[in-house]
Amino acid sequence: MADPLAEVVTLLQPSAPFSKIVSGAGRWGVRRSEAGRPFYCVILEGSCRLAVDGHEPIDLQEGDFVLIPSADGFTMSSLTPATPEDFDTPPVALSHGEFRLGIQCGSHDVRLLIGYCVFGSPDAALLVSLLPQLMHVRGERRLTTIVQLVGDESRDLRPARDVILARLLEVLFIEALRSSAGPAASPGLMRGLADERLAFALRQMHESPTRPWTVAQLAKEAALSRSAFFERFGRAVGVAPMEYLLAWRMALAKNLLRRKEGGIAEVAARVGYSSASTFSVAFTRHVGLPPTRYAQEQLESQHT
């Protein structure tokens, strides 16, 4: 059966080209407004506080991993309440490549590896909408092992350090997605997959996107009434069932068009549309461009 998480991650093409080590001592605070850039943080030592817009503040501790697939605004600060003046103080570069916040001398209270992910897919915004808004993972043995490897690699300037860190962070990203599933997760694909009945319907949509699904048919696959399925799906995944199916079909269509795998009629058939004209109308409404123009623009961008 299809693996929705693997398919979404494969289309996202995640990488982690930028990271840095930051330590903090005393009172300090940093405010960032990143306009949707995927942000991650690994707590290597100590503890600090994270406040993401729209979420309750989280006290982070050693071994924690945080991933925000689309970070619009957040603050990180010391556990000791920071003043407005503390937020105005930029980090200071240290001689060995780390950055320091707060008190510049002496031992640190916290040491972090922070950075930004890059999603290679031009359709990243649509795919990110299928993921939880905030992932905070703690106490997962497998994830802790990867975090330890990241910490060890980040401390030494060994050959190919940046390459190894990038690969480890990619694995960390995928493992965090798997570890963040559960009823307490924010709405998204992973929370839906944690629900056994919804997971079966989700896998059916991914495995057979060409089937003319209806809410009633998907509810039957999930062994739920139509109303119960609709309400439960929306609460867990964050969108209505047919909205999710449309988003997934459009993601598949855009990938096929980018890779020039067939004409419009063939692409339409491969994502569940009975005719090229019906597909073109749906694609244009969803993407903002007709499929022929989208394919042309993708081709031109590959040659620039």
Side-chain angles (χ1 to χ4, degrees), residues 83-124:
T83 66
E85 291 76 17
D86 296 321
F87 281 89
D88 292 333
T89 305
V92 175
L94 304 180
S95 58
H96 50 288
E98 293 192 14
F99 292 80
R100 173 61 72 93
L101 290 161
I103 299 173
Q104 299 300 308
C105 57
S107 61
H108 53 258
D109 301 321
V110 65
R111 191 164 176 267
L112 325 163
L113 175 68
I114 64 173
Y116 294 97
C117 300
V118 171
F119 296 141
S121 171
D123 202 27

Side-chain angles (χ1 to χ4, degrees), residues 68-82:
I68 310 171
S70 182
D72 291 321
F74 63 91
T75 61
M76 296 195 74
S77 62
S78 55
L79 293 183
T80 303

Side-chain angles (χ1 to χ4, degrees), residues 36-281:
R37 293 178 66 188
F39 169 82
Y40 66 85
C41 173
V42 181
I43 310 300
L44 302 175
E45 302 172 49
S47 56
C48 65
R49 181 163 295 138
L50 170 69
V52 179
D53 293 355
H55 297 267
E56 291 296 318
I58 303 171
D59 286 352
L60 303 175
Q61 61 190 40
E62 184 173 328
D64 282 10
F65 177 78
V66 170
L67 174 65
I68 310 171
S70 182
D72 291 321
F74 63 91
T75 61
M76 296 195 74
S77 62
S78 55
L79 293 183
T80 303
T83 66
E85 291 76 17
D86 296 321
F87 281 89
D88 292 333
T89 305
V92 175
L94 304 180
S95 58
H96 50 288
E98 293 192 14
F99 292 80
R100 173 61 72 93
L101 290 161
I103 299 173
Q104 299 300 308
C105 57
S107 61
H108 53 258
D109 301 321
V110 65
R111 191 164 176 267
L112 325 163
L113 175 68
I114 64 173
Y116 294 97
C117 300
V118 171
F119 296 141
S121 171
D123 202 27
L126 186 153
L127 293 166
V128 165
S129 71
L130 306 179
L131 302 176
Q133 297 171 338
L134 169 65
M135 282 169 273
H136 172 219
V137 184
R138 172 181 294 167
E140 291 289 337
R141 182 179 58 81
R142 287 170 56 87
L143 198 66
T144 299
T145 299
I146 302 171
V147 168
Q148 289 172 345
L149 289 171
V150 169
D152 291 342
E153 194 64 33
S154 68
R155 292 185 185 96
D156 299 314
L157 295 176
R158 289 181 284 191
R161 170 183 178 269
D162 291 342
V163 175
I164 296 297
L165 267 177
R167 298 297 179 269
L168 286 172
L169 287 166
E170 288 175 22
V171 175
L172 195 58
F173 171 78
I174 297 170
E175 189 63 36
L177 284 169
R178 297 203 302 188
S179 301
S180 64
S186 60
L189 176 60
M190 297 310 301
R191 183 167 164 185
L193 291 173
D195 185 314
E196 184 177 351
R197 295 195 179 186
L198 296 182
F200 196 79
L202 283 163
R203 292 191 176 100
Q204 289 294 319
M205 281 190 271
H206 278 254
E207 184 167 304
S208 305
T210 60
R211 284 184 61 178
W213 293 108
T214 64
V215 174
Q217 290 170 331
L218 290 168
K220 184 177 180 180
E221 296 287 347
L224 293 168
S225 70
R226 185 186 184 283
S227 59
F229 172 74
F230 186 89
E231 190 276 334
R232 190 158 158 176
F233 192 101
R235 187 173 65 249
V237 183
V239 295
M242 302 314 291
E243 185 179 347
Y244 180 92
L245 179 61
L246 174 63
W248 180 240
R249 283 173 168 168
M250 291 299 108
L252 292 175
K254 291 173 80 172
N255 187 53
L256 293 170
L257 291 167
R258 283 193 300 270
R259 294 164 59 180
K260 297 177 289 185
E261 295 191 10
I264 302 302
E266 184 178 347
V267 171
R270 291 178 65 177
V271 297
Y273 288 85
S274 58
S275 71
S277 60
T278 303
F279 166 69
S280 295
V281 170

